[in-house]
Amino acid sequence: MFNIKRNIIFVVCVFAGLFPMNAQNVLKFNADKKLKIVQFTDVHYITDDARSDGALENIRETLDAENPDFVVFTGDIVYGEPADKGLREVLGLVSERKIPFGITFGNHDDEFGLTREQLFEIAKNIPYNMISTAPDVTGVGNYILPVTSSASDKPAFLLYCFDSNTYSSIEEVKGYGHIHFDQIAWYRKQSLAYTGNNGGIPVPSIAFFHIPLPEYNQAAADERAILTGTRKEKACAPELNSGMFVAMKEMGDIMATFVGHDHDNDYAVWWHGIMLAYGRYTGGNTVYNNLKPNGARVIEITEGEKGFRTWIRLYGGDIIHEIKYPDFFLKDKN
């Protein structure tokens, strides 16, 4: 997956200001032009708590069965003290297999004695991490992972990771946090730069974060929207809309977003040309979870092909909700 050529694209992108200086920050399509991603979400891990055993067993089984090229944890990884030990134990399951991984934080991760910044530094020192954070931007863990072509060092795909923050920071507005304006401005700047370096054509991309956008509820409530998967609860989205979805539409690069946060959802819904999707609850019995068994989402990208394949792998091995984007959502429109 990696080779010495990555240094070339790394140097070019650093000088272009496309991502912070971290030599691990480049993935590559393999010789078969594939890249397989596993998304774990809401592990809610409590160290030395038997209720978390199912989470670790699920992660081990999924990694062994899917053999991914990259793993991303989309928030609420830890759910008790000591948070540092818990984080190392969970991420260690991926690191010990020498699989590159990324994380985004959820609203609970920094509630157990350590700040986001401290947790980030712990994760950054675990082998095979690919995390970074954009300076002077709200949140911890806003970064981009280019996936270079199997035949060159040109970025052929982008993985955006955003910190969706925790709870509302606006007085008199309750509920969960939102992606802030400066984060959106940062995304737009990076997207424009990659598009410019790609001859004016947006680089195909997907995004990972924890808290769903308000558009998840708009889409799920629209009888015209195509939805597949399980929806057992309303999306616990921010009360106010900061405009992230509009920015993605204007940039024209992000095809899908993958979130967690709502443990009883694993659906994907088509909304104005973008797929809004959940992962599958990964954790054990430390918090509410009515989707049994737990599992993970898998995303397989093929270089040069429009879209991607995705499915849910359940603990125990069953595969459900397998779709090909965008074909699945367009089949009734032809």
Side-chain angles (χ1 to χ4, degrees), residues 190-208:
Q190 308 310 310
S191 177
L192 285 170
Y194 275 108
T195 297
N197 288 341
N198 194 42
I201 301 172
V203 179
S205 309
I206 57 178
F208 298 96

PDB file of all heavy atoms in Angstrom, residues 190-208:
ATOM      1  N   GLN A 190      -9.388  23.906   1.075  1.00  0.00           N
ATOM      2  CA  GLN A 190      -8.675  22.688   0.694  1.00  0.00           C
ATOM      3  C   GLN A 190      -9.283  22.069  -0.563  1.00  0.00           C
ATOM      4  O   GLN A 190      -8.570  21.632  -1.474  1.00  0.00           O
ATOM      5  CB  GLN A 190      -8.703  21.673   1.836  1.00  0.00           C
ATOM      6  CG  GLN A 190      -8.256  22.179   3.194  1.00  0.00           C
ATOM      7  CD  GLN A 190      -6.943  22.901   3.152  1.00  0.00           C
ATOM      8  OE1 GLN A 190      -5.965  22.412   2.598  1.00  0.00           O
ATOM      9  NE2 GLN A 190      -6.910  24.088   3.743  1.00  0.00           N
ATOM     10  N   SER A 191     -10.606  22.031  -0.610  1.00  0.00           N
ATOM     11  CA  SER A 191     -11.288  21.455  -1.764  1.00  0.00           C
ATOM     12  C   SER A 191     -10.950  22.208  -3.040  1.00  0.00           C
ATOM     13  O   SER A 191     -10.663  21.607  -4.082  1.00  0.00           O
ATOM     14  CB  SER A 191     -12.799  21.468  -1.520  1.00  0.00           C
ATOM     15  OG  SER A 191     -13.494  20.980  -2.646  1.00  0.00           O
ATOM     16  N   LEU A 192     -10.971  23.529  -2.968  1.00  0.00           N
ATOM     17  CA  LEU A 192     -10.636  24.345  -4.139  1.00  0.00           C
ATOM     18  C   LEU A 192      -9.204  24.106  -4.591  1.00  0.00           C
ATOM     19  O   LEU A 192      -8.911  24.055  -5.796  1.00  0.00           O
ATOM     20  CB  LEU A 192     -10.847  25.826  -3.828  1.00  0.00           C
ATOM     21  CG  LEU A 192     -12.300  26.307  -3.779  1.00  0.00           C
ATOM     22  CD1 LEU A 192     -12.367  27.733  -3.229  1.00  0.00           C
ATOM     23  CD2 LEU A 192     -12.930  26.244  -5.172  1.00  0.00           C
ATOM     24  N   ALA A 193      -8.283  23.939  -3.628  1.00  0.00           N
ATOM     25  CA  ALA A 193      -6.887  23.710  -3.973  1.00  0.00           C
ATOM     26  C   ALA A 193      -6.712  22.367  -4.679  1.00  0.00           C
ATOM     27  O   ALA A 193      -6.016  22.268  -5.698  1.00  0.00           O
ATOM     28  CB  ALA A 193      -6.017  23.776  -2.721  1.00  0.00           C
ATOM     29  N   TYR A 194      -7.345  21.333  -4.147  1.00  0.00           N
ATOM     30  CA  TYR A 194      -7.252  20.020  -4.789  1.00  0.00           C
ATOM     31  C   TYR A 194      -7.900  20.043  -6.168  1.00  0.00           C
ATOM     32  O   TYR A 194      -7.378  19.448  -7.122  1.00  0.00           O
ATOM     33  CB  TYR A 194      -7.909  18.954  -3.914  1.00  0.00           C
ATOM     34  CG  TYR A 194      -6.996  18.386  -2.862  1.00  0.00           C
ATOM     35  CD1 TYR A 194      -7.182  18.696  -1.513  1.00  0.00           C
ATOM     36  CD2 TYR A 194      -5.953  17.530  -3.201  1.00  0.00           C
ATOM     37  CE1 TYR A 194      -6.341  18.169  -0.537  1.00  0.00           C
ATOM     38  CE2 TYR A 194      -5.109  16.996  -2.235  1.00  0.00           C
ATOM     39  CZ  TYR A 194      -5.306  17.324  -0.908  1.00  0.00           C
ATOM     40  OH  TYR A 194      -4.471  16.807   0.061  1.00  0.00           O
ATOM     41  N   THR A 195      -9.039  20.725  -6.290  1.00  0.00           N
ATOM     42  CA  THR A 195      -9.696  20.839  -7.590  1.00  0.00           C
ATOM     43  C   THR A 195      -8.806  21.568  -8.583  1.00  0.00           C
ATOM     44  O   THR A 195      -8.667  21.153  -9.741  1.00  0.00           O
ATOM     45  CB  THR A 195     -11.038  21.571  -7.442  1.00  0.00           C
ATOM     46  OG1 THR A 195     -11.903  20.797  -6.605  1.00  0.00           O
ATOM     47  CG2 THR A 195     -11.709  21.777  -8.792  1.00  0.00           C
ATOM     48  N   GLY A 196      -8.181  22.653  -8.137  1.00  0.00           N
ATOM     49  CA  GLY A 196      -7.280  23.401  -9.008  1.00  0.00           C
ATOM     50  C   GLY A 196      -6.108  22.564  -9.473  1.00  0.00           C
ATOM     51  O   GLY A 196      -5.689  22.651 -10.654  1.00  0.00           O
ATOM     52  N   ASN A 197      -5.559  21.750  -8.595  1.00  0.00           N
ATOM     53  CA  ASN A 197      -4.430  20.890  -8.957  1.00  0.00           C
ATOM     54  C   ASN A 197      -4.857  19.681  -9.779  1.00  0.00           C
ATOM     55  O   ASN A 197      -4.008  18.918 -10.245  1.00  0.00           O
ATOM     56  CB  ASN A 197      -3.704  20.407  -7.693  1.00  0.00           C
ATOM     57  CG  ASN A 197      -2.914  21.520  -7.037  1.00  0.00           C
ATOM     58  OD1 ASN A 197      -2.598  22.528  -7.657  1.00  0.00           O
ATOM     59  ND2 ASN A 197      -2.602  21.355  -5.763  1.00  0.00           N
ATOM     60  N   ASN A 198      -6.173  19.511  -9.933  1.00  0.00           N
ATOM     61  CA  ASN A 198      -6.702  18.387 -10.713  1.00  0.00           C
ATOM     62  C   ASN A 198      -7.344  18.873 -12.005  1.00  0.00           C
ATOM     63  O   ASN A 198      -8.282  18.265 -12.513  1.00  0.00           O
ATOM     64  CB  ASN A 198      -7.730  17.613  -9.873  1.00  0.00           C
ATOM     65  CG  ASN A 198      -8.066  16.259 -10.448  1.00  0.00           C
ATOM     66  OD1 ASN A 198      -7.192  15.519 -10.916  1.00  0.00           O
ATOM     67  ND2 ASN A 198      -9.353  15.901 -10.425  1.00  0.00           N
ATOM     68  N   GLY A 199      -6.833  19.983 -12.529  1.00  0.00           N
ATOM     69  CA  GLY A 199      -7.322  20.511 -13.792  1.00  0.00           C
ATOM     70  C   GLY A 199      -8.722  21.057 -13.726  1.00  0.00           C
ATOM     71  O   GLY A 199      -9.442  21.076 -14.737  1.00  0.00           O
ATOM     72  N   GLY A 200      -9.143  21.501 -12.533  1.00  0.00           N
ATOM     73  CA  GLY A 200     -10.471  22.083 -12.385  1.00  0.00           C
ATOM     74  C   GLY A 200     -11.568  21.061 -12.127  1.00  0.00           C
ATOM     75  O   GLY A 200     -12.744  21.433 -12.025  1.00  0.00           O
ATOM     76  N   ILE A 201     -11.203  19.792 -11.993  1.00  0.00           N
ATOM     77  CA  ILE A 201     -12.182  18.729 -11.740  1.00  0.00           C
ATOM     78  C   ILE A 201     -12.119  18.340 -10.265  1.00  0.00           C
ATOM     79  O   ILE A 201     -11.036  17.995  -9.766  1.00  0.00           O
ATOM     80  CB  ILE A 201     -11.898  17.495 -12.616  1.00  0.00           C
ATOM     81  CG1 ILE A 201     -11.944  17.873 -14.093  1.00  0.00           C
ATOM     82  CG2 ILE A 201     -12.905  16.383 -12.309  1.00  0.00           C
ATOM     83  CD1 ILE A 201     -11.492  16.762 -15.019  1.00  0.00           C
ATOM     84  N   PRO A 202     -13.217  18.409  -9.533  1.00  0.00           N
ATOM     85  CA  PRO A 202     -13.186  18.025  -8.120  1.00  0.00           C
ATOM     86  C   PRO A 202     -12.684  16.594  -7.945  1.00  0.00           C
ATOM     87  O   PRO A 202     -13.034  15.698  -8.713  1.00  0.00           O
ATOM     88  CB  PRO A 202     -14.648  18.159  -7.680  1.00  0.00           C
ATOM     89  CG  PRO A 202     -15.236  19.159  -8.637  1.00  0.00           C
ATOM     90  CD  PRO A 202     -14.556  18.896  -9.951  1.00  0.00           C
ATOM     91  N   VAL A 203     -11.857  16.391  -6.927  1.00  0.00           N
ATOM     92  CA  VAL A 203     -11.356  15.056  -6.618  1.00  0.00           C
ATOM     93  C   VAL A 203     -12.439  14.305  -5.843  1.00  0.00           C
ATOM     94  O   VAL A 203     -12.928  14.807  -4.828  1.00  0.00           O
ATOM     95  CB  VAL A 203     -10.059  15.128  -5.790  1.00  0.00           C
ATOM     96  CG1 VAL A 203      -9.572  13.715  -5.446  1.00  0.00           C
ATOM     97  CG2 VAL A 203      -8.977  15.898  -6.550  1.00  0.00           C
ATOM     98  N   PRO A 204     -12.857  13.112  -6.295  1.00  0.00           N
ATOM     99  CA  PRO A 204     -13.900  12.363  -5.578  1.00  0.00           C
ATOM    100  C   PRO A 204     -13.528  12.183  -4.106  1.00  0.00           C
ATOM    101  O   PRO A 204     -12.384  11.848  -3.784  1.00  0.00           O
ATOM    102  CB  PRO A 204     -13.932  11.015  -6.314  1.00  0.00           C
ATOM    103  CG  PRO A 204     -13.368  11.303  -7.660  1.00  0.00           C
ATOM    104  CD  PRO A 204     -12.343  12.383  -7.458  1.00  0.00           C
ATOM    105  N   SER A 205     -14.506  12.382  -3.225  1.00  0.00           N
ATOM    106  CA  SER A 205     -14.221  12.402  -1.790  1.00  0.00           C
ATOM    107  C   SER A 205     -15.389  11.848  -0.994  1.00  0.00           C
ATOM    108  O   SER A 205     -16.537  11.829  -1.459  1.00  0.00           O
ATOM    109  CB  SER A 205     -13.958  13.842  -1.324  1.00  0.00           C
ATOM    110  OG  SER A 205     -12.995  14.499  -2.114  1.00  0.00           O
ATOM    111  N   ILE A 206     -15.083  11.417   0.233  1.00  0.00           N
ATOM    112  CA  ILE A 206     -16.094  11.095   1.228  1.00  0.00           C
ATOM    113  C   ILE A 206     -15.656  11.728   2.544  1.00  0.00           C
ATOM    114  O   ILE A 206     -14.490  12.107   2.691  1.00  0.00           O
ATOM    115  CB  ILE A 206     -16.314   9.579   1.389  1.00  0.00           C
ATOM    116  CG1 ILE A 206     -15.009   8.871   1.754  1.00  0.00           C
ATOM    117  CG2 ILE A 206     -16.924   8.982   0.129  1.00  0.00           C
ATOM    118  CD1 ILE A 206     -15.175   7.368   1.967  1.00  0.00           C
ATOM    119  N   ALA A 207     -16.571  11.852   3.497  1.00  0.00           N
ATOM    120  CA  ALA A 207     -16.266  12.535   4.751  1.00  0.00           C
ATOM    121  C   ALA A 207     -16.721  11.705   5.944  1.00  0.00           C
ATOM    122  O   ALA A 207     -17.746  11.011   5.881  1.00  0.00           O
ATOM    123  CB  ALA A 207     -16.926  13.910   4.791  1.00  0.00           C
ATOM    124  N   PHE A 208     -15.954  11.824   7.031  1.00  0.00           N
ATOM    125  CA  PHE A 208     -16.255  11.135   8.274  1.00  0.00           C
ATOM    126  C   PHE A 208     -16.323  12.131   9.417  1.00  0.00           C
ATOM    127  O   PHE A 208     -15.454  12.993   9.558  1.00  0.00           O
ATOM    128  CB  PHE A 208     -15.170  10.095   8.586  1.00  0.00           C
ATOM    129  CG  PHE A 208     -15.046   8.999   7.568  1.00  0.00           C
ATOM    130  CD1 PHE A 208     -14.099   9.087   6.558  1.00  0.00           C
ATOM    131  CD2 PHE A 208     -15.870   7.886   7.622  1.00  0.00           C
ATOM    132  CE1 PHE A 208     -13.972   8.080   5.611  1.00  0.00           C
ATOM    133  CE2 PHE A 208     -15.754   6.876   6.675  1.00  0.00           C
ATOM    134  CZ  PHE A 208     -14.801   6.972   5.671  1.00  0.00           C
TER     135      PHE A 208
END
